[in-house]
Amino acid sequence: MALTQILTEAIAQPSRYQVPDGCALVIFGASGDLTRRKLLPALYALAHDGLLPDRFAVIGFARREKDHEAFRDEMRGAVEQFSRLHPLNAEVWDRLARSLYYVAASFDDSAGYERLRLLLADVDRQHGTGGNRLYYLATPPAAYAAVVTRLGASGLVSKVWDGPHDTDPAPEAHGCCRIIVEKPFGRDLATALVLNAEIHRVFREQQVYRIDHYLGKETVQNILTFRFGNSIFEPLWNRRYVDHVQLLVAEDLGVEGRGSYYDTAGAMRDMVQNHMLQLLSLVAMEPPATFEPDAVRDEKVKVLRAIRPVPAERANDTTVRAQYISGQLRGKKIAAYADEPEVAAETAMETFVALRLEIDNWRWAGVPFYLRTGKALPKRVTEVTIQYRQPPLLLFQQAAHAGHKNQDIVKPNRLTLRIQPDEGISLRVGLKPPGPRISLVPARLGFSYREAFGVDPEEAYERLLLDCMLGDSTLFIRRDEVEAAWAMVTPVVEAWAADGRTGLAYYPAGNWGPKEADRFIEADGREWVNP
Ligand code: BG6
């Protein structure tokens, strides 16, 4: 067997996950899109891979009237439509379906919570779920406080010992009780503080799992493995060697019927406050002492706090915001954002943001981080690019004399972490092409996730649901992280709201953002990396 084959097989071994203890998962908002598109398909995949405990049940809780059977049928349809595993394995599905239940009630109806309590007791008896509870807030955010308060008032939240990191074990402790909270977690710092306070009236921080599905992506976790599991990159991961860092989250779709939500959020709240600042914190953090949840999150929050504040009066110097107008995307006409259903006709909401952040710490002082995200861009791609400094030019003067500018010949090294799709890592280096002259051409050293491991990465929600069942909060956002992220974002979104459409740029759908964004980075002597 060839050495390369042995190596590939060795790395392609799936990691062995632990199967969690039995538990009952209650999904609030079980009639919604998230449950159908993500949660049930993820649970089905876990069941398929033998990662769900035998003692397990799911209770959907939502307003719409239906019985257990109707809920099971609906969820079967959802799994058939959205699962990454095809075709549906009838045996796996039937086993999962037998553990699905439904409670029809509005989120502030105490009687509904009483029915839930009785059903949970019944489920404990029938499925042996041992009083372990996982609550999932998949409702519109306006309902979060009502659900949390009612859970508390109905005696459905026990003060429990929540694993070895829990410093305050309750003597009567049995089982676990956790709550998963979806984004958006507030819409600015003030509302996030209020929401945290409301949750903390009922749950302790160790029980709260704020989800950001980007953290469940394999390639996002790979940022840490790549950085801290290899000795060659980390010494080069700082201001001595790095010229700047770019984070790009480009989407090739418009808002796709989510106008009423998006027109109150915009790209900054929808993508930057959460996914992109999380990516940034993983790229920029110091090595944690261990991979314990709090050790990792301590380092992440230090980065978020070290971001130089962008005061309202400087918001326009360090950001570009724009909205897409109609255009062509892969030969298809895309309507302007302002013409989307449920978007205000005079909307000033940004569908594109570019911003430059500075991280005021020893490692990154003077290295700009450029973040860019937008809807209706030419491609769906998420990438982190570390651009190294220009090498000294002296050696390649000969080529320069031949009439080229040195920058055209000596391209700086670029390390690209491709988060999605075509997950992988590549490094741009300069190499000599064949021939008698010494000159340089850019070449790529690459790693492709699919080629190396022979599989596509699993869905983020699978990993995150499993981790929550296991009580591992490493990939969930802690209270101080969410607050630090809002502290950075809030002055900017407030300044934009005050300016309305003044200062808003426009770009035709299918373009890499507005011209203003190009001028913005060119003013720093740099350029965007457009994959
Ligand atoms: C969500 C945003 O959090 O992330 C959406 O609300 C966005 O607007 C989505 O499209 C992107 O996620 P992914 O995993 O497709 O990159």
Side-chain angles (χ1 to χ4, degrees):
M1 196 186 282
L3 181 61
T4 48
Q5 194 179 346
I6 296 171
L7 284 175
T8 309
E9 281 181 7
I11 56 176
Q13 292 294 324
S15 35
R16 306 245 173 272
Y17 285 120
Q18 194 187 334
V19 177
D21 286 343
C23 66
L25 167 66
V26 182
I27 303 176
F28 292 94
S31 301
D33 236 26
L34 182 72
T35 307
R36 295 176 55 248
R37 282 175 185 271
K38 299 289 182 191
L39 302 184
L40 255 293
L43 290 172
Y44 170 74
L46 291 174
H48 182 274
D49 294 347
L51 292 169
L52 276 190
D54 291 335
R55 293 174 293 112
F56 181 71
V58 179
I59 301 178
F61 188 115
R63 274 172 293 219
R64 265 174 236 164
E65 280 297 333
K66 66 188 110 170
D67 59 15
H68 303 315
E69 267 321 309
F71 182 58
R72 287 170 192 149
D73 288 347
E74 208 179 283
M75 292 301 116
R76 182 187 172 115
V79 171
E80 275 169 345
Q81 191 178 354
F82 296 110
S83 174
R84 69 179 170 89
L85 303 169
H86 290 293
L88 189 88
N89 178 320
E91 203 184 316
V92 174
W93 171 255
D94 288 347
R95 202 163 358 105
L96 183 60
R98 281 196 292 277
S99 64
L100 296 187
Y101 299 88
Y102 187 76
V103 172
S106 71
F107 300 124
D108 53 4
D109 169 16
S110 308
Y113 291 80
E114 181 51 23
R115 291 203 295 283
L116 174 63
R117 207 173 58 77
L118 295 174
L119 180 57
L120 278 167
D122 207 32
V123 158
D124 278 345
R125 276 191 297 275
Q126 285 193 39
H127 294 270
T129 37
N132 292 331
R133 307 282 180 255
L134 239 68
Y135 299 117
Y136 200 120
L137 293 183
T139 66
Y144 289 175
V147 175
V148 168
T149 311
R150 294 274 179 264
L151 280 173
S154 311
L156 285 165
V157 181
S158 45
K159 183 170 176 291
V160 290
W161 188 67
D162 199 37
H165 54 280
D166 190 338
T167 52
D168 183 21
E172 71 285 12
H174 71 284
C176 69
C177 181
R178 306 183 182 122
I179 186 159
I180 304 182
V181 189
E182 267 292 336
K183 71 173 265 263
F185 199 91
R187 54 172 286 105
D188 51 25
L189 180 56
T191 49
L193 289 169
V194 169
L195 181 54
N196 271 331
E198 272 161 351
I199 292 175
H200 281 277
R201 248 178 248 137
V202 179
F203 291 91
R204 283 186 289 156
E205 179 61 23
Q206 298 94 310
Q207 297 172 286
V208 183
Y209 287 66
R210 294 175 196 80
I211 208 164
D212 182 316
H213 78 279
Y214 266 57
L215 294 180
K217 291 182 192 275
E218 280 286 339
T219 40
V220 172
Q221 294 156 47
N222 209 14
I223 296 174
L224 294 189
T225 333
F226 182 76
R227 285 188 57 193
F228 304 131
N230 296 289
S231 53
I232 63 169
F233 297 107
E234 197 49 27
L236 312 178
W237 209 269
N238 57 50
R239 68 193 155 95
R240 281 192 69 186
Y241 300 98
V242 175
D243 176 75
H244 73 278
V245 178
Q246 292 191 26
L247 270 62
L248 168 68
V249 182
E251 296 189 275
D252 59 359
L253 296 173
V255 291
E256 304 278 300
R258 292 165 77 220
S260 70
Y261 153 73
Y262 200 87
D263 212 36
T264 61
M268 191 74 158
R269 288 186 171 94
D270 188 49
M271 298 299 285
V272 177
Q273 187 274 340
N274 37 69
H275 309 321
M276 295 196 79
L277 289 183
Q278 285 296 316
L279 273 179
L280 178 139
S281 64
L282 294 175
V283 170
M285 69 190 256
E286 295 300 317
T290 67
F291 270 120
E292 289 295 309
D294 278 334
V296 173
R297 298 185 301 176
D298 285 347
E299 296 307 332
K300 283 169 61 198
V301 80
K302 281 186 208 161
V303 173
L304 296 172
R305 289 194 181 131
I307 296 175
R308 186 178 303 166
V310 182
E313 62 280 9
R314 289 210 52 238
N316 291 334
D317 304 338
T318 51
T319 66
V320 173
R321 64 184 164 119
Q323 190 184 90
Y324 67 84
I325 54 176
S326 67
Q328 293 277 331
L329 227 168
R330 284 194 301 266
K332 216 179 116 201
K333 188 162 167 22
I334 302 273
Y337 170 72
D339 293 335
E340 281 281 333
E342 300 183 74
V343 166
E346 301 289 293
T347 180
M349 197 47 83
E350 81 285 355
T351 58
F352 172 98
V353 184
L355 62 155
R356 179 183 53 237
L357 296 177
E358 305 277 344
I359 300 179
D360 285 331
N361 65 17
W362 193 260
R363 185 188 284 263
W364 294 117
V367 178
F369 281 67
Y370 295 97
L371 277 55
R372 194 169 42 136
T373 184
K375 300 256 184 218
L377 300 187
K379 247 182 160 174
R380 174 177 183 258
V381 56
T382 299
E383 266 186 11
V384 177
T385 305
I386 315 284
Q387 176 141 333
Y388 287 90
R389 289 177 185 249
Q390 189 83 19
L393 306 178
L394 210 57
L395 277 177
F396 300 99
Q397 269 179 346
Q398 196 186 358
H401 286 154
H404 301 287
K405 283 201 212 116
N406 277 313
Q407 300 90 296
D408 293 340
I409 298 159
V410 186
K411 301 268 187 207
N413 296 122
R414 247 182 212 166
L415 178 67
T416 305
L417 309 177
R418 172 63 77 90
I419 307 296
Q420 64 185 20
D422 304 326
E423 292 78 1
I425 297 175
S426 71
L427 178 64
R428 182 173 78 179
V429 294
L431 292 177
K432 180 188 162 303
R437 293 246 312 263
I438 292 280
S439 65
L440 270 185
V441 289
R444 266 176 204 288
L445 311 180
F447 152 79
S448 146
Y449 192 99
R450 192 173 302 132
E451 274 171 31
F453 297 114
V455 290
D456 287 326
E458 64 189 21
E459 274 282 321
Y461 278 92
E462 295 169 32
R463 171 65 195 269
L464 294 173
L465 281 168
L466 187 64
D467 278 4
C468 181
M469 289 183 220
L470 290 167
D472 182 345
S473 54
T474 314
L475 300 178
F476 293 84
I477 304 177
R478 210 169 54 186
R479 174 184 192 157
D480 48 1
E481 289 181 79
V482 93
E483 292 173 3
W486 275 124
M488 185 263 123
V489 162
T490 303
V492 178
V493 286
E494 284 178 354
W496 289 349
D499 288 351
R501 290 204 281 179
T502 313
L504 177 70
Y506 293 90
Y507 60 102
N511 282 262
W512 285 106
K515 297 214 167 30
E516 286 81 347
D518 295 337
R519 290 201 282 271
F520 172 73
I521 194 165
E522 281 160 16
D524 290 354
R526 301 186 173 100
E527 61 183 15
W528 295 117
V529 179
N530 290 332

